Amino acid sequence: MNLRVNQDGKFWDRFVASAIPAAIGLTIAGIVWWRDASNADSRASEAIGRIELRIDKVEVEAREARRSAAEDRQKTVELAADMRNVLRSTSRIETLLDRWMGAPPSPSRP
């Protein structure tokens, strides 16, 4: 290998001649890289926006489901209370009918 780079005195001429295409190539590669990164960033931000919209929809649906479940629980409690009242009333009516008819009392319910 020959290490005499500047033997004929044209080192700077050769360096400049080879550095200009390398600099142009690096500049083009940098611009391409910057545009690709910019496009990737914009796609990522759009994807994040879509994900946030989906999360908002899921949160709204979950809130609505919780509200609906609370309403259903309230209705169930009200129906259970109504059933207890109907059973008490029925039991009282049966007791009064048994007394009025003179029949022996029916066995009590648990």
Side-chain angles (χ1 to χ4, degrees):
M1 180 187 244
N2 187 359
L3 296 177
R4 295 182 193 159
V5 176
N6 197 18
Q7 188 174 8
D8 59 355
K10 295 184 180 181
F11 172 74
W12 290 109
D13 294 337
R14 289 187 192 120
F15 178 76
V16 170
S18 63
I20 290 174
I24 291 172
L26 286 174
T27 304
I28 291 172
I31 291 171
V32 169
W33 175 79
W34 178 74
R35 286 300 300 159
D36 285 347
S38 176
N39 288 338
D41 287 345
S42 66
R43 286 192 305 263
S45 67
E46 289 172 2
I48 289 170
R50 287 192 306 270
I51 289 171
E52 287 175 346
L53 287 175
R54 288 179 186 171
I55 288 172
D56 291 342
K57 288 179 184 177
V58 168
E59 287 175 350
V60 167
E61 289 173 359
R63 195 175 310 119
E64 185 176 322
R66 284 192 300 268
R67 183 185 51 78
S68 175
E71 290 174 358
D72 290 346
R73 282 191 297 274
Q74 180 63 32
K75 288 177 184 177
T76 303
V77 167
E78 290 172 0
L79 285 173
D82 289 344
M83 285 300 299
R84 282 192 299 272
N85 288 337
V86 167
L87 289 175
R88 283 188 204 124
S89 298
T90 305
S91 176
R92 287 184 193 135
I93 291 170
E94 286 176 349
T95 303
L96 290 173
L97 281 174
D98 288 343
R99 283 187 199 160
W100 186 61
M101 298 294 286
S106 61
S108 62
R109 295 185 180 150

